Amino acid sequence: MQLFADPSLNGALALIGMVTCLCYLVKYSWEILVGIRLYVLARFWRVNLKSYGEWAVVTGATSGIGKAYAHELARRGLNVVLISRSLEKLRATAEEIEQQHMKKTKIIQADFTSGAEIYGPIEAALKDLNIGILVNNVGKTYQMVPCYFLDVEDVEKEILDIMNCNVLSVLMMTRIVLPYMVKRKKGIIINISSEAGTHPHPLITMYCATKVFIDFFSRALNAEYKINGIIIQCVMPLVISTNLTHGIETNFLIKSTDDFVQEALNTVGISERTSGCWSHALQHFIIERLMPEWFRLTQFSLNMMKDFSKQRLALVEKRQKKFKTT
């Protein structure tokens, strides 16, 4: 069936269609090949992290993703500096790493929701160490999510806590460690952002805003310092089973911290901006095409998020009650 009487117009439209299909074919084929290199071949062909320095520094290192990074870095041969708020948890995590991986540890107690005054002691404690890797992991969100901005309990304190923990910590820790890396012309800085930082997400407004800051900061800083031999990577995971997600059960879509970090570390030196693991990369690919930004900002999307969160919290409460009765 011809659309136009003029055969040349039909031929031109057919050619445009063919070229468009070919462009998409090449684009998606390239993305698949990059994904295979990043998440499959990297298991066998990856950067030697030990070559960047003797020590790794991890913030928020006593639970969740931070603890998993600390263990995996020690497993790969680095000594680890653990920085977190709880001295008891710091000592326990340090003991685990020393016993399981036979590597040295150093602990620094610091509350990252505090202001700039905590960074002087941190800098002094790190001064004489040959630091090859910094993982800026520490972060927080509202005590209860989802939540409208003005409904956050003690909103002024939460604003300061989240900004200090999610933003100031990344800037200050980078400022402390980066000069030594530049001097030695090698180093790795891994900044943990989130899929929430890819678009505005209502009901976790401050969290997603701070995570997009980490993404932009990482990409710009990488452009500035890669000529000095510094790798700056931004990791943007989706849902991982941590305290932040109430220990949600793992499955194909939801990774455990250990599994996620093992895959994410394999991508260092290969990708400057990554979802961290192949299942999260696949989810990101689908979400970007099925849930554009205009949809995420509709009331329908808000209601979906509320319902999902209610179901998740109900499941957590049910699991906790079951645990108490056994």
Side-chain angles (χ1 to χ4, degrees):
M1 179 180 177
Q2 290 190 342
L3 294 175
F4 301 100
D6 188 346
S8 62
L9 285 176
N10 287 316
L13 288 174
L15 179 61
I16 291 171
M18 289 176 59
V19 171
T20 301
C21 291
L22 180 62
C23 288
Y24 276 105
L25 177 63
V26 171
K27 176 184 177 182
Y28 292 137
S29 296
W30 177 251
E31 289 185 12
I32 290 171
L33 290 173
V34 169
I36 292 172
R37 168 68 181 98
L38 188 58
Y39 300 113
V40 179
L41 298 182
R43 298 179 183 181
F44 315 100
W45 177 20
R46 62 195 187 195
V47 169
N48 178 13
L49 300 180
K50 286 196 302 181
S51 66
Y52 284 84
E54 299 174 36
W55 288 85
V57 178
V58 183
T59 65
T62 57
S63 65
I65 296 174
K67 185 175 182 178
Y69 263 103
H71 271 275
E72 186 62 28
L73 287 165
R75 186 177 292 111
R76 299 193 187 194
L78 286 96
N79 303 317
V80 185
V81 180
L82 310 167
I83 311 179
S84 194
R85 180 171 52 185
S86 169
L87 185 59
E88 181 181 354
K89 291 181 178 179
L90 281 167
R91 287 170 175 165
T93 304
E95 185 177 353
E96 287 177 13
I97 289 173
E98 290 174 1
Q99 290 181 352
Q100 294 178 23
H101 311 298
M102 307 301 291
K103 303 304 296 183
K104 297 177 184 177
T105 63
K106 183 180 179 69
I107 62 174
I108 303 174
Q109 185 181 19
D111 182 355
F112 285 103
T113 62
S114 302
E117 66 274 6
I118 69 171
Y119 294 98
I122 292 175
E123 183 171 12
L126 298 179
K127 185 176 181 181
D128 297 323
L129 299 180
N130 179 14
I131 297 170
I133 300 175
L134 167 64
V135 182
N136 282 314
N137 160 77
V138 70
K140 76 181 300 292
T141 186
Y142 307 142
Q143 291 295 324
M144 184 62 94
V145 292
C147 188
Y148 286 89
F149 178 67
L150 292 180
D151 293 337
V152 174
E153 186 177 351
D154 198 357
V155 64
E156 291 186 5
K157 183 178 185 303
E158 282 290 273
I159 288 171
L160 292 175
D161 286 354
I162 291 173
M163 291 299 292
N164 285 335
C165 190
N166 295 11
V167 175
L168 186 63
S169 68
V170 174
L171 295 172
M172 294 299 286
M173 291 302 302
T174 301
R175 198 277 304 164
I176 290 170
V177 171
L178 185 58
Y180 300 101
M181 293 181 172
V182 171
K183 186 176 180 179
R184 293 186 291 109
K185 294 192 177 298
K186 61 180 179 179
I188 299 169
I189 297 176
I190 301 170
N191 295 326
I192 308 301
S193 179
S194 169
E195 175 70 18
T198 59
H199 293 277
H201 283 70
L203 306 181
I204 52 170
T205 305
M206 281 202 64
Y207 180 77
C208 76
T210 59
K211 291 302 180 179
V212 76
F213 168 85
I214 293 172
D215 178 29
F216 276 35
F217 175 71
S218 300
R219 286 193 275 169
L221 198 70
N222 185 68
E224 291 179 6
Y225 286 97
K226 62 183 177 182
I227 194 172
N228 298 95
I230 314 298
I231 295 171
I232 294 156
Q233 183 189 58
C234 183
V235 182
M236 309 184 76
L238 282 91
V239 181
I240 299 174
S241 182
T242 65
N243 292 336
L244 198 66
T245 57
H246 305 285
I248 190 171
E249 292 183 6
T250 60
N251 53 40
F252 170 74
L253 302 177
I254 300 168
K255 304 287 286 187
S256 70
T257 55
D258 291 343
D259 289 343
F260 174 80
V261 168
Q262 187 175 28
E263 288 192 52
L265 271 177
N266 290 343
T267 69
V268 173
I270 305 171
S271 177
E272 298 164 356
R273 186 172 184 255
T274 175
S275 296
C277 65
W278 72 272
S279 70
H280 285 193
L282 179 61
Q283 290 175 71
H284 172 76
F285 179 85
I286 294 171
I287 290 170
E288 282 291 297
R289 283 147 185 84
L290 299 184
M291 296 181 66
E293 186 172 307
W294 65 263
F295 174 78
R296 302 178 196 219
L297 299 177
T298 62
Q299 190 61 43
F300 177 72
S301 179
L302 291 178
N303 292 334
M304 282 179 58
M305 185 172 179
K306 290 178 185 176
D307 291 341
F308 172 75
S309 296
K310 288 178 182 177
Q311 293 172 10
R312 191 178 71 187
L313 289 172
L315 183 64
V316 170
E317 290 174 0
K318 182 179 179 181
R319 194 184 309 138
Q320 289 175 341
K321 289 178 181 178
K322 183 178 180 181
F323 178 77
K324 289 178 181 178
T325 57
T326 56

